[in-house]
Amino acid sequence: QVQLVESGGGLVQPGGSLRLSCAASGSIFSIGAMGWYRQAPGKQRELVAAITSGGSTNYADSVKGRFTISRDNAKNTVYLQMNSLKPEDTAVYLCNADVKRMWLYDYKAFWGQGTQVTVSS
């Protein structure tokens, strides 16, 4: 009933920028924290950035100063602005959201399908 769809990935040269979007839809009452994770071949999945419903943010040290997470609560959408991209940023980026569904009192974590980001010359 709840779907998260990422978009905005692609191929970019080192130093370039990309903006990822993740839109949640379905039987949603409210959304708590949202975040972006990434997983590269041979590497563990890691939290890139997270944002609470109130707008508080935190970032992985490796992306701090380069990436910015934001959200539009009216659109149930979270964004990740990625600047000064490096080859080591290459990964599948996954959106996560803690969703309170209609008719239910609990929050459940949902995941998007992922979008590929490739940083290469």
Side-chain angles (χ1 to χ4, degrees):
Q1 286 188 318
V2 176
Q3 309 289 329
L4 273 63
V5 179
E6 301 100 333
S7 62
L11 175 64
V12 65
Q13 294 184 354
S17 298
L18 285 173
R19 180 177 169 88
L20 306 183
S21 299
C22 172
S25 62
S27 185
I28 298 170
F29 183 81
S30 63
I31 300 178
M34 306 182 80
W36 289 96
Y37 293 73
R38 68 185 181 188
Q39 188 162 27
K43 295 184 178 179
Q44 193 119 26
R45 185 167 67 182
E46 64 173 339
L47 175 66
V48 177
I51 183 167
T52 69
S53 60
S56 297
T57 61
N58 60 77
Y59 300 89
D61 289 341
S62 60
V63 307
K64 191 168 294 184
R66 300 188 297 119
F67 291 9
T68 302
I69 189 170
S70 61
R71 65 191 288 168
D72 185 337
N73 290 333
K75 296 181 178 180
N76 289 332
T77 299
V78 64
Y79 307 93
L80 186 67
Q81 178 67 47
M82 304 185 293
N83 299 326
S84 302
L85 283 162
K86 304 174 181 179
E88 51 262 43
D89 295 319
T90 297
V92 173
Y93 283 71
L94 298 151
C95 177
N96 170 265
D98 294 325
V99 178
K100 187 175 184 181
R101 294 163 291 172
M102 294 290 295
W103 308 106
L104 296 171
Y105 297 100
D106 62 313
Y107 282 84
K108 181 180 179 180
F110 288 86
W111 293 85
Q113 80 287 351
T115 185
Q116 177 71 45
V117 171
T118 302
V119 184
S120 176
S121 59

